[in-house]
Amino acid sequence: MSTAGKTDGGVDAFVYSVRADTRAWCPALVSDTLTVLVPLICAVLTSAAREPLAGAGLVLLTLGIAGGQVIALAYDGRSLGVRMFGLRIVERSSGCPSGRLLVADLVGRRLRVLDIRHGRDPISSAVALYRFPERAAAQHPPARATNTVVLLDSGQRLPFARALVVGRNPTTDARGEQRFSWPDLSRTLSKTHARLEWDGESVWVTDLGSANGTAMEVGVERASLDPFVPTRMPADAVLWLGDRSLTIAGSRRDRRGASDAADDGDEAARGVHHA
């Protein structure tokens, strides 16, 4: 079994990460090359025009830019061009930047280019703080015969059996996942915002790299979720997707809302009766 991408604790550092394709890393490479090449050409032209001091200054500027690019790539995995296109370059066995071994890893083809705009950043703190889907699935096997229901802020009840992807116009490549297109005129909801998974006991929420984030409110506490990290949703929590919210049907909040609606209906009925 391959250990590529495994940390010392046996956790896959690349879970939910997305490898960058040629259309992403080629422009980043061109951008980094031009960042160094343009001042170098200017230095050559300036020297040719008999401006040695200006040419020397441009050469020093070029060396400074090139050195900064290499240091940023070695210790952060993100040079200027790589950062502009939302990528990170890491060592494939650890999921971390190469550091002083950058040249050796580059020659040995031990680097991996990841698209962190559409996938999880492998060096995020989530590696140490959360359980990943494989472990969660092993401890909480899905119960397909049992459904759960979430209650949207519009009052609509939405049942699902295993997994539900929510957004303005969500897409999913996984089989068995339901999709729900949630109208949102404020556009704080992303096209593919979050995934809700039911394991027979709890609902697990994963933010799918949304623009405005996903937050969970329990009592007076409200915390933002890390993208691409499954987090268990307590029964009485409120889940915020941008400015839209939902709860788990059957929670105390849901029962309290149903009770208030019933009381309003009784009062209306009494008013009609007395009239």
Side-chain angles (χ1 to χ4, degrees):
M1 177 175 161
S2 173
T3 58
K6 294 286 185 177
T7 63
D8 292 339
V11 176
D12 185 358
F14 295 113
V15 65
Y16 277 130
S17 293
V18 175
R19 296 188 67 171
D21 58 21
T22 307
R23 292 173 297 177
W25 63 259
C26 273
L29 178 61
V30 171
S31 177
D32 281 337
T33 302
L34 290 177
T35 301
V36 177
L37 193 59
V38 169
L40 181 60
I41 293 174
C42 291
V44 172
L45 294 177
T46 303
S47 298
R50 297 182 180 180
E51 296 287 344
L53 291 179
L58 287 171
V59 168
L60 291 177
L61 176 63
T62 302
L63 292 176
I65 293 174
Q69 294 277 59
V70 171
I71 291 173
L73 193 59
Y75 292 97
D76 187 45
R78 305 187 77 186
S79 59
L80 181 61
V82 171
R83 184 180 295 273
M84 284 175 55
F85 288 90
L87 310 177
R88 191 183 295 278
I89 300 177
V90 295
E91 200 269 328
R92 67 172 65 236
S93 66
S94 66
C96 296
S98 294
R100 290 177 294 178
L101 299 177
L102 175 63
V103 175
D105 287 341
L106 182 62
V107 173
R109 303 180 68 180
R110 292 188 293 270
L111 298 178
R112 179 174 292 183
V113 185
L114 301 174
D115 185 344
I116 60 175
R117 288 181 178 175
H118 299 96
R120 194 185 67 82
D121 189 341
I123 66 171
S124 68
S125 60
V127 170
L129 297 178
Y130 294 92
R131 290 173 297 180
F132 290 99
E134 295 83 359
R135 293 176 180 266
Q139 296 178 13
H140 302 279
R144 300 187 183 185
T146 306
N147 287 8
T148 190
V149 180
V150 294
L151 180 65
L152 308 182
D153 56 11
S154 59
Q156 182 178 358
R157 290 176 176 266
L158 197 63
F160 67 99
R162 185 176 181 184
L164 176 69
V165 179
V166 179
R168 294 199 320 272
N169 185 24
T171 59
T172 177
D173 296 327
R175 287 187 174 183
E177 287 189 343
Q178 298 173 234
R179 292 178 294 173
F180 176 67
S181 297
W182 197 354
D184 179 38
L185 297 179
S186 67
R187 299 185 72 83
T188 60
L189 199 65
S190 295
K191 287 185 63 177
T192 304
H193 197 108
R195 177 189 294 109
L196 280 66
E197 296 174 275
W198 170 247
D199 65 8
E201 297 178 359
S202 303
V203 172
W204 293 75
V205 182
T206 305
D207 180 271
L208 299 177
S210 62
N212 293 299
T214 302
M216 199 173 292
E217 180 182 315
V218 182
V220 296
E221 299 291 332
R222 181 168 174 170
S224 299
L225 305 187
D226 286 329
F228 304 101
V229 178
T231 305
R232 190 180 69 85
M233 181 177 175
D236 290 314
V238 177
L239 188 68
W240 290 91
L241 312 178
D243 290 339
R244 305 306 301 265
S245 66
L246 60 84
T247 57
I248 300 174
S251 66
R252 284 196 295 270
R253 291 176 183 269
D254 181 24
R255 291 195 296 271
R256 185 163 58 248
S259 176
D260 292 343
D263 291 343
D264 291 343
D266 291 343
E267 291 178 1
R270 285 195 296 272
V272 172
H273 175 72
H274 291 310

